[in-house]
Amino acid sequence: MSKLVLLKGATSLSDVAALLGFTPAGLSFVLYKQHPALKYAKFEIPKKDGGTREICAPLGPLKAIQRELATLLNECRAEILEATKRAPLSHGFREDLSIVTNAHNHTARRYVLNVDLADFFPTFNFGRVRGFFLKDKDFELHEKVATVLAQIACFENSLPQGSPCSPVIADMIAHVLDARLVGLAKKAKVTYSRYADDLSFSTNQKSFPEGLAKPSAVGSGVWVAGDDLVKKIEASGFKLNPAKTRMQFRGSRQVVTGLTVNAKVNVSQKYWRGIRSMCRALYTTGAYHLPSPKAGAPAGDPPEKIASLRVLAGMLSHVYHVKRESGFAPDGEKEEIVFGHTDHERFWFFRSFVALDRPLILCEGVTDNVYLRNAMRQKAAAFPQLAAKTPEGYKFAVALFSYDNLIHKILGITGGIGPVLKLIHGYRRRLKAFKYRPFLHPVIVVVDNDTALNAKTCNALKKHFGVDITHGSADDFFYLTNNLYLVKTPLVGTKAMTCIEDLFDDATLKKDLDGKVFHTEKEGFDASKHIGKKLFATKVIAPEAATISWDGFEPLLARVAAVLNAYAAKVAADASSSTT
């Protein structure tokens, strides 16, 4: 049934609890009995323009409740848009919309005006939130339900920054502002869009409408919001931040929600140059600092050195997202960007293989990851150096290279033995880009011991690394170079070759899915009788992992553990030799 219908039909706290997936007693305890100090953690973060912003982050059960409320309200909002055929007027806090889609509205314009709302989240007090759910024509909720929702969402009489449900509630309440400003913009023949508290207007008219903005004084270069705009904003229950009113002209850099919009939506050259400078410092010294001083830092303080890769990873991911969404990248399978692709590839290679925070296993594809993750989980007692069971679940001491994000595509590791061998052969060459090579942990490449390891492949590896990995070799692992190792699937019984699925027993391999059984060979595959690797891994093995036998994986896990022991000994020996 429609979530909106269920919400509008709710009449009590018990109904709200059921919609959110909690017990009435649990919800009541969190709202009315739990001590306020146990509900939120308060801290401050610096603003870009100086000063600080208070964050009130919900804790424990309250955070879970607010997440479910956010999910519920987003589903309701989607139903409302579908039923009314309304297009969203704001681009913040919505699936498939972002600062990029917001900025796209204002490219190649003569004038771009940005204004900011003051104290956005604190503007929404308890009464305003409750009143919205009571009176908004799309909701018109029962009085008790509106009260409970406001009690879940508000803290110290406002929507707290840091709450999972604050963004969607604030955005829905601000719809009345959007509707009024769209009307004003249409009358003035300009384009309007909003992202959270950032409002943008743009036009190619010869003069900008004075009702929206005007120079504060002739020749001053400073613009102020026009009377019509101020009236609409204040009538909607908001106030402007006059210090952030910015008029930008064609011929100068025009920015909307942090992105340049002169020709196409893009990150600024200054931002990109800063990232590249940070990367160079990281690859040389293992640390970097932000191009601009941290907001709020005392003048003259030396820049803060950063060793964590998270900041740079976030900045590069932001650039990648902007450029893909802005048409700098094709929409095809490779999903790579044209501008700065080498820089992205170099960083993610460094993070994925050089500056590891734990050992990495690289398999041929996503199905192998499913097998190994479950094997390590089920055999944790026998291989504690790989995984351990904790009260919170299983904690893995090794990572599996992910095929679930764009990083593997940026690096050209798209699955199968071909890309893996290409990585191996190019490993030493790619390391030349880095003077700083911590190599704290090994990279363990796990491959099937099958026909893919043909004479040509084995000869090439022997030529490049001096190792013999032919089918008959019984080595547990092969050291290739630096922190790179190769492990083959162990032979099973009298088989001369194996793939990873051969490590399952016959009973597991014969398990069916809707009457179809696993078949690994290309020849003889019948879609009416057989399932392939992906379905076998995700629909058969993963759901039944706790009940099937993983004994056949013990030799493979033992080989991985042997690599960890060998690398630990290598690191210790290298450290000893460097001090003598």
Side-chain angles (χ1 to χ4, degrees):
M1 183 181 287
S2 159
K3 291 294 179 68
L4 181 60
V5 170
L6 291 173
L7 182 60
K8 294 179 76 169
T11 60
S12 65
L13 180 146
S14 295
D15 291 340
V16 174
L19 279 170
L20 300 180
F22 293 87
T23 64
L27 178 58
S28 179
F29 173 81
V30 171
L31 292 183
Y32 309 126
K33 295 182 180 180
Q34 190 176 37
H35 194 281
L38 300 177
K39 294 183 182 182
Y40 288 89
K42 287 186 179 183
F43 55 92
E44 293 183 341
I45 60 173
K47 295 181 179 180
K48 290 183 179 180
D49 55 349
T52 59
R53 175 180 289 111
E54 184 179 65
I55 301 296
C56 298
L59 302 172
L62 178 60
K63 184 175 183 179
I65 291 168
Q66 290 181 344
R67 280 177 174 169
E68 292 302 320
L69 177 57
T71 299
L72 173 65
L73 293 177
N74 274 309
E75 291 179 5
C76 291
R77 180 166 62 173
E79 289 182 29
I80 292 168
L81 291 176
E82 176 64 26
T84 59
K85 305 301 179 183
R86 293 199 306 242
L89 300 178
S90 68
H91 293 254
F93 321 123
R94 295 173 181 266
E95 188 176 354
D96 299 327
L97 296 177
S98 65
I99 60 172
V100 179
T101 59
N102 180 63
H104 267 303
N105 292 287
H106 307 285
T107 57
R109 301 298 172 90
R110 184 187 298 269
Y111 298 96
V112 176
L113 171 70
N114 293 326
V115 297
D116 282 25
L117 301 177
D119 300 321
F120 186 60
F121 284 108
T123 300
F124 304 98
N125 59 35
F126 180 90
R128 190 174 185 183
V129 173
R130 181 177 179 273
F132 169 78
F133 287 118
L134 276 173
K135 300 176 182 179
D136 183 80
K137 62 183 180 62
D138 292 320
F139 286 93
E140 297 179 328
L141 303 183
H142 189 279
E143 183 177 358
K144 291 182 179 179
V145 173
T147 301
V148 171
L149 296 189
Q151 289 170 334
I152 293 172
C154 293
F155 176 60
E156 295 181 345
N157 197 35
S158 69
L159 289 178
Q161 293 191 64
S163 164
C165 62
S166 290
V168 62
I169 294 174
D171 209 54
M172 290 192 300
I173 296 176
H175 176 74
V176 64
L177 170 67
D178 292 327
R180 289 170 176 171
L181 293 186
V182 163
L184 180 62
K186 186 176 181 180
K187 183 178 179 181
K189 298 181 180 179
V190 303
T191 300
Y192 162 78
S193 70
R194 178 176 64 84
Y195 185 93
D197 56 353
D198 293 337
L199 316 181
S200 297
F201 302 83
S202 62
T203 183
N204 277 323
Q205 298 178 77
K206 290 184 178 180
S207 59
F208 199 83
E210 288 192 3
L212 295 176
K214 56 189 176 183
S216 61
V218 177
S220 68
V222 177
W223 285 61
V224 295
D227 295 340
D228 294 343
L229 178 57
V230 171
K231 288 178 182 178
K232 293 290 185 184
I233 289 174
E234 292 183 350
S236 303
F238 299 93
K239 292 183 178 180
L240 277 178
N241 181 350
K244 290 190 175 182
T245 298
R246 307 173 299 282
M247 176 61 79
Q248 302 159 105
F249 306 94
R250 180 181 291 162
S252 61
R253 187 165 67 97
Q254 296 172 315
V255 176
V256 172
T257 47
L259 303 175
T260 59
V261 293
N262 293 74
K264 297 180 72 172
V265 175
N266 199 0
V267 295
S268 70
Q269 287 292 324
K270 181 180 179 181
Y271 185 80
W272 179 242
R273 285 195 299 269
I275 291 176
R276 299 185 73 180
S277 175
M278 293 159 70
C279 286
R280 286 193 295 270
L282 173 66
Y283 304 152
T284 303
T285 67
Y288 57 94
H289 62 80
L290 297 175
S292 302
K294 190 175 182 179
D301 276 9
E304 178 186 359
K305 286 286 185 180
I306 303 171
S308 170
L309 302 186
R310 290 184 179 180
V311 175
L312 259 178
M315 295 173 76
L316 280 162
S317 295
H318 169 66
V319 173
Y320 196 96
H321 168 72
V322 169
K323 290 187 173 295
R324 286 183 65 237
E325 294 296 315
S326 302
F328 285 89
D331 293 328
E333 286 186 3
K334 293 182 73 176
E335 292 180 321
E336 64 182 9
I337 63 172
V338 176
F339 177 79
H341 175 66
T342 301
D343 296 277
H344 287 262
E345 183 181 5
R346 185 176 294 130
F347 174 82
W348 290 113
F349 183 90
F350 180 80
R351 188 185 189 195
S352 299
F353 303 113
V354 181
L356 293 167
D357 56 8
R358 55 180 168 164
L360 175 73
I361 299 176
L362 171 63
C363 299
E364 294 183 43
V366 66
T367 56
D368 295 358
N369 284 359
V370 174
Y371 305 146
L372 278 177
R373 184 177 294 108
N374 282 290
M376 289 190 291
R377 184 183 288 119
Q378 300 303 323
K379 291 295 180 179
F383 298 95
Q385 65 271 62
L386 304 183
K389 189 175 182 179
T390 70
E392 292 77 32
Y394 285 91
K395 183 177 181 180
F396 294 97
V398 297
L400 290 165
F401 182 80
S402 177
Y403 286 91
D404 296 328
N405 53 41
L406 286 175
I407 295 172
H408 74 284
K409 295 184 178 181
I410 295 173
L411 293 172
I413 307 172
T414 52
I417 189 64
V420 170
L421 290 174
K422 185 177 179 181
L423 168 75
I424 290 173
H425 288 302
Y427 202 79
R428 284 190 292 223
R429 172 183 55 80
R430 294 167 94 167
L431 289 177
K432 292 179 181 178
F434 317 112
K435 290 183 179 180
Y436 176 72
R437 304 176 188 177
F439 288 148
L440 298 179
H441 303 285
V443 174
I444 308 166
V445 179
V446 175
V447 297
D448 287 340
N449 191 1
D450 60 9
T451 53
L453 296 183
N454 53 35
K456 182 179 179 181
T457 299
C458 293
N459 288 338
L461 289 171
K462 186 173 184 179
K463 177 180 177 181
H464 289 172
F465 303 106
V467 296
D468 180 9
I469 68 160
T470 52
H471 296 299
S473 60
D475 299 55
D476 285 341
F477 61 84
F478 304 90
Y479 173 66
L480 301 180
T481 184
N482 296 288
N483 65 333
L484 184 63
Y485 291 78
L486 185 141
V487 167
K488 300 187 301 181
T489 53
L491 297 179
V492 178
T494 60
K495 291 184 177 182
M497 294 181 288
T498 56
C499 64
I500 197 168
E501 285 84 6
D502 291 322
L503 305 183
F504 290 109
D505 60 13
D506 289 341
T508 301
L509 291 172
K510 291 178 180 178
K511 286 182 175 291
D512 72 285
L513 178 66
D514 299 328
K516 301 178 182 181
V517 295
F518 173 62
H519 185 77
T520 185
E521 301 294 337
K522 291 182 180 179
E523 294 183 7
F525 185 90
D526 184 343
S528 65
K529 301 177 181 178
H530 301 140
I531 58 173
K533 288 188 174 186
K534 185 175 181 181
L535 285 177
F536 181 66
T538 59
K539 301 299 183 181
V540 176
I541 297 301
E544 301 186 41
T547 60
I548 65 178
S549 173
W550 293 94
D551 292 347
F553 278 77
E554 287 194 2
L556 177 57
L557 297 181
R559 291 184 172 187
V560 172
V563 172
L564 300 186
N565 294 334
Y567 194 71
K570 178 181 181 298
V571 170
D574 291 345
S576 177
S577 63
S578 67
T579 58
T580 58

